[in-house]
Every structure is written in structure tokens, then in C-alpha cells.
Amino acid sequence: MYESHYPKKRYQKSLSFLQKHIPENESILDLGVENPFTQIMRDHGYAVSNTGGEDLDLDLSAIRSSDASVVTAFEIFEHLLAPFNALQEIRARKLVASIPLRLWFSPAYRSKTDERDRHFHEFEAWQFDWLLEKTGWKIIDSQKWTHPVKKIGLRPILRYFTPRYYIVYAERFKS
């Protein structure tokens, strides 16, 4: 997935946000398979375990059985048909999650070669906030950022000032 590009800005922003809210001594369950950001978190002192690549719409056992104090989900929920179920099953009291925001000038992302690398949801920030609230989470902090690309055209210009990513730190407020 990262053979031709590495999301350096996104990783820097995500790590900074994580460090702002989560001390290194907390255990993390990172939703999704191990990836380059898993190693970045470990390199910065976090004890991270990942889910094993199971379909989190159908198999929530890794979430249910985890005793991690924090769950992270970096660009995961847009791939799920039912992110409500996964969010509701998290037992940890803290959540750091990011999503790509819906871009009105661009269609939903869909890989033509990997059926698991598709976005079912293209959230607006308010929709993700509502989803978190409905599943028992209170957003403590959030941040948005743009993702300019080095191309010519209307879309690349719009990407300079249209937020592309949204990250939240939330805490469980009900069981």
C-alpha cells in the first residue's frame, strides 16, 4: 500500500496528536494490521498491538478481548460498513481515531485492485462526531488538516485549503 508514497505529513500530525493526549505508559490496541505507523508509535515508546486483518464488520473478537487502555484507529472506520458496532464494542476508556474527510469535489476512494482498500463512508466531521456520541464517546479534542498534492488542476488547488483529515481524542462516557 505504501510502495509508491509515504504519508509523512499525516503520520507527523497523527503522532503529535497522539503524544499530546496519550502517555507512553498506556497500552494501545491499534485497529487494522501492522503498518508503518505501528512501528512509528513503537519507536516513540508506545506498547502497540494490532488486530490481525480480520473483517471488523464481521469479527469483533479482537476488540472485545483486548485489555488495552487505549484504542487507536487511523483511517479505519471509513472502510467499515458498520463502524457503529466496532466503536460500541471498545472496552478501553480512551480513543484516538482519524478519518479522511468527505471531499465534495472528489468521489469516494475505491481501489480497483484491492477490495479491502475502499471507502464505504466518506464522513463529514459532524457525522463522525455524531457516530462517536451515539456509541458512548465524548470528544475531548479534535483537529483537521489539509493535504495539498503536487499536481496541476482545480482539485489540487482546492486541496490547499479544504481539510482532508480529521482526528479526535475521545473518552468513554457510558458503558
Side-chain angles (χ1 to χ4, degrees), residues 30-41:
D30 185 34
L31 302 185
V33 297
E34 279 201 31
N35 59 73
F37 194 66
T38 304
Q39 190 57 49
I40 290 170
M41 288 189 288

Side-chain angles (χ1 to χ4, degrees), residues 56-116:
L56 295 175
D57 277 315
L58 302 172
D59 182 359
L60 298 169
S61 60
I63 294 172
R64 288 182 183 128
S65 65
S66 174
D67 60 357
S69 59
V70 179
V71 167
T72 57
F74 299 104
E75 284 78 62
I76 294 296
F77 292 124
E78 69 275 9
H79 298 277
L80 300 180
L81 299 179
F84 183 96
N85 298 330
L87 283 162
Q88 199 168 38
E89 290 297 324
I90 294 171
R91 291 180 24 206
R93 305 298 292 171
K94 298 176 182 179
L95 173 70
V96 177
S98 63
I99 56 166
L101 291 169
R102 179 180 168 273
L103 298 172
W104 55 270
F105 54 85
S106 184
Y109 173 74
R110 179 180 175 206
S111 170
K112 302 229 188 274
T113 57
D114 183 355
E115 71 177 31
R116 296 189 69 173

Side-chain angles (χ1 to χ4, degrees), residues 17-37:
F17 193 84
L18 181 69
Q19 290 174 318
K20 178 180 176 184
H21 296 288
I22 306 300
E24 292 175 12
N25 64 345
E26 297 212 46
S27 57
I28 294 176
L29 172 64
D30 185 34
L31 302 185
V33 297
E34 279 201 31
N35 59 73
F37 194 66

Side-chain angles (χ1 to χ4, degrees), residues 109-156:
Y109 173 74
R110 179 180 175 206
S111 170
K112 302 229 188 274
T113 57
D114 183 355
E115 71 177 31
R116 296 189 69 173
D117 188 21
R118 296 176 179 169
H119 292 181
F120 186 78
H121 298 278
E122 292 272 328
F123 294 100
E124 293 181 37
W126 73 266
Q127 292 171 307
F128 193 59
D129 293 352
W130 188 26
L131 176 63
L132 291 170
E133 178 187 324
K134 295 275 287 187
T135 54
W137 296 95
K138 179 180 181 187
I139 296 172
I140 307 299
D141 191 15
S142 65
Q143 183 181 3
K144 294 178 187 174
W145 66 88
T146 61
H147 184 71
V149 294
K150 294 178 179 149
K151 295 181 180 178
I152 297 173
L154 181 59
R155 286 183 187 183

